[in-house]
Amino acid sequence: MIEGQVDDALLEARLLEVGKRLAGALPAGMRNPLKAADDKAMELASQDAELKAALFRFVDVVPACRSLDDLARHLTGFLGEVEEPPPPVAVAMRMGSSRAGRAALGAAAATGVKHMAHRFIVGESPKAALGTLRDLWRGGIASSVDLLGEATVTQGEAQRYAERCDDALVTISGAARDWPERPALERDGAGALPRANLSVKVSALTPLLRPDAPERGKRDAADRLRGLLRRARALGAHLHIDMESLDSRDAVLELVLELLAEPEFRDGPSAGMVLQAYLRDSPATLDTVLDWTAGAGAGRAHPLTVRLVKGAYWDHEIVEAAQHGWNAPVFDVKADSDRNFEQLTRRLLESRPALRVAIASHNLRSVAHAIAYDQLLGGDGRDIELQVLRGLGDPLGEAIAAQELRVRTYCPVGDLVAGMAYLVRRLLENTSNDSFLADQAKGVPLEELLAPPR
Ligand SMILES: Cc1cc2nc3c(=O)[nH]c(=O)nc-3n(C[C@H](O)[C@H](O)[C@H](O)COP(=O)(O)OP(=O)(O)OC[C@H]3O[C@@H](n4cnc5c(N)ncnc54)[C@H](O)[C@@H]3O)c2cc1C
């Protein structure tokens, strides 16, 4: 890998080329993921803040509703808070005034929520997800399975989550042996890449993860995480530790770096962590990770994979900081997050082979920037992975695979109840005014979508 500075003008020109090629490779009829999904709730919600808040509260109570009547009562109750409902909502509210109308409305709402959830969730169990994972693989797309369920409150729940993760590793690894060969997905410059890949959340592995007493949570999670690392190593699978809100960031980072530096994990498994570019101090976090690769983490058989994301807890971080009177730890201008994402992308790509790099974004500019920078460093695309979320990034994932670049889809697995927090987060993100997918859905021209963040 050639190191050093890349000329800005050259980079922009290459980025435009890559971005246009990717946009041209988006599957026909799917250039607009939000519209293509015929998701009226998302479209309506993105136009009206009050309606959006009402829908979020509704989606939250759906799993607790026991009957269709119950569901419709909640729906009309929440929608009743919207002062000037758009026409379809006004119709729904009129239906809610009779018992028969409520039952019909409840059925429609339940179907709507399920339909929306199924866009994002690939199956209720790892076994049920296997068909989708195999089809993705056949189409040249790797996967990472995420078992839904976060913020565990009891030891029993944490234990059950760890057991479900263990079962997922066994189930996926077993099935993946029969998948056809896909050399581009199975090897990079650092060696073999596991077919089976599981993403886990530390907050689900312990009920004790508290910002005021991080050591207790770390110790409790360490035992369960060690078990999963051992299982992943025995099966030759990859284990990825997701990043959550800032109050657990330091504990999760320390836990991952400490465990992976233990002598028993020197030879494996392949493992990774997440860097969030919306955090103002993320460049310092990358310094910590790079110091680790040169120190305690040096000489591991599999380089640590760093998945770069912008961060999924933006609203939470802003509200939390305001409540405490703190300065927000996240950027408050979207372009700052985007610019930082690009700076971190460049540093990560320049840090190979000490690290493996995964760029996770649905933003065509962010993705094209990473691919272009890799190319200008002399890379052939083998040592960079692009990652997308199931349900939001499918068209982009297909376009990336069509360019013979390595892509992985993050596939949530679980039931609707467990999926609610995940679903609400995805909805919040994509109905926000500061979202690439929302801009794309509005029909913002390609040149503008690919322009430098400002
Ligand atoms: C495969 C995959 C795995 C992921 N894993 C994780 C994970 O482990 N942890 C995690 O936190 N997230 C994770 N995410 C989600 C990710 O952090 C983003 O929320 C999501 O991808 C949207 O970012 P984008 O680049 O695709 O879209 P864009 O539309 O370009 O960016 C949206 C993002 O910009 C940021 N933003 C929005 N408004 C503002 C503002 N006013 N000021 C500053 N910044 C703003 C937010 O981070 C928001 O999510 C993952 C995403 C993918 C694709």
Side-chain angles (χ1 to χ4, degrees), residues 434-449:
D434 278 329
S435 148
F436 177 88
L437 288 180
D439 282 350
Q440 199 181 20
K442 270 185 253 154
V444 173
L446 184 59
E447 272 76 10
E448 231 174 281
L449 293 174

Side-chain angles (χ1 to χ4, degrees), residues 199 201 240-245 274 276-278 307-314 318 330-338 341 359-364 366 386-390 392 408-410 425-426 429-430 432-438:
S199 290
K201 289 198 169 51
H240 212 96
I241 293 85
D242 284 356
M243 201 53 93
E244 303 172 66
S245 50
V274 177
Q276 294 162 314
Y278 68 2
R307 177 201 298 154
L308 179 65
V309 302
K310 285 179 194 145
Y313 304 83
W314 188 83
I318 292 283
V330 290
F331 292 110
D332 45 23
V333 175
K334 162 83 159 56
D336 289 338
S337 291
D338 290 342
F341 190 89
I359 302 296
S361 172
H362 306 127
N363 184 321
L364 204 58
S366 307
L386 291 317
Q387 295 191 349
V388 295
L389 296 177
R390 171 75 176 178
L392 283 176
R408 185 178 305 279
T409 296
Y410 183 96
R425 208 162 326 109
R426 294 287 83 82
E429 212 168 71
N430 290 288
S432 116
N433 289 331
D434 278 329
S435 148
F436 177 88
L437 288 180

Side-chain angles (χ1 to χ4, degrees), residues 31 48 93 188 206 229 247 266 270 313 335 371 379 411:
R31 305 216 165 160
D48 185 321
M93 286 170 64
D188 68 1
T206 172
L229 286 167
D247 48 17
R266 284 193 90 71
S270 165
Y313 304 83
I371 298 169
C411 294

Side-chain angles (χ1 to χ4, degrees), residues 65 93 113 151-152 169 173 184 189 253 296-298 340 364-365 373 402 406:
C65 291
M93 286 170 64
V113 171
T152 299
L169 282 169
S173 302
L253 180 67
N340 191 40
L364 204 58
R365 156 96 199 175
Y373 197 74
R406 181 149 48 88

